[in-house]
Amino acid sequence: MRNKKKFSILLFSILLILALGTGYYLYHKPGTLNSFLLNNYNKENIEQIEIRSTLSRQDKSIKDKAKINEILANVSNIKLVRHYGSTANKTKGAIHIYIYDKSRITTEIIIQGKEYINIINDYDNSNKEYKIIDNSLDLDYINRLIS
């Protein structure tokens, strides 16, 4: 009887650990900006990208389709994992990338330093925060675009 109770406790513990591990994996599944946002976006409908820096107070509007595709190709490979904590006061400046579809802003990507990205998507009314992993953001490329 005692061995049966120990076995039941051990089996329950193993199942609980497996369930928590699976939940954690699914909850923190890594991906790219492309898989989290751009895959579901019709890139042909993008008419303009506007980039603003809160630190340097510079901005640039890009309407050339070739340049828009170059920018999307560059940022689409940023590796991300969903972040559920606060990103307040993590950086002193941010870069805002506004994506215009049919003359209105449909998506805003806020890059906070080299650590966090916030995506505000008008299509599904979502506001999600991500942590940048593997140092995959080329911040120099984005800064060159607005300087």
Side-chain angles (χ1 to χ4, degrees):
M1 185 71 151
R2 200 150 187 45
N3 284 340
K4 197 173 191 181
K5 186 175 180 180
K6 284 183 182 180
F7 178 75
S8 295
I9 292 172
L10 179 65
L11 182 63
F12 176 76
S13 299
I14 290 171
L15 290 174
L16 181 65
I17 290 170
L18 285 174
L20 290 174
T22 303
Y24 179 82
Y25 172 75
L26 293 175
Y27 192 67
H28 289 76
K29 187 177 177 185
T32 62
L33 186 61
N34 191 51
S35 64
F36 288 127
L37 173 68
L38 299 175
N39 251 358
N40 303 322
Y41 216 99
N42 186 350
K43 294 174 185 93
E44 295 301 316
N45 289 342
I46 297 174
E47 296 176 349
Q48 176 182 346
I49 291 180
E50 185 177 352
I51 305 170
R52 294 182 189 165
S53 172
T54 60
L55 194 57
S56 68
R57 299 195 186 272
Q58 293 179 312
D59 64 85
K60 186 166 191 174
S61 213
I62 298 150
K63 293 183 179 181
D64 178 57
K65 283 285 192 186
K67 193 67 173 174
I68 288 172
N69 289 334
E70 176 191 316
I71 293 167
L72 293 176
N74 187 286
V75 299
S76 67
N77 293 320
I78 298 171
K79 295 177 185 171
L80 306 169
V81 66
R82 186 75 193 268
H83 178 73
Y84 294 93
S86 173
T87 59
N89 299 323
K90 297 266 188 213
T91 183
K92 293 181 175 148
I95 295 174
H96 296 253
I97 300 174
Y98 301 96
I99 299 175
Y100 289 81
D101 184 346
K102 300 178 184 164
S103 300
R104 67 183 189 93
I105 298 172
T106 56
T107 303
E108 179 181 3
I109 301 168
I110 304 168
I111 301 171
Q112 302 174 26
K114 290 191 85 142
E115 297 176 337
Y116 298 99
I117 287 184
N118 184 295
I119 299 173
I120 301 167
N121 192 342
D122 193 36
Y123 281 128
D124 60 4
N125 291 322
S126 65
N127 185 347
K128 297 178 182 173
E129 294 179 352
Y130 298 91
K131 182 167 178 51
I132 300 168
I133 55 176
D134 296 339
N135 200 21
S136 57
L137 170 64
D138 187 357
L139 202 52
D140 292 334
Y141 170 78
I142 295 169
N143 284 321
R144 282 191 306 271
L145 287 171
I146 56 177
S147 59

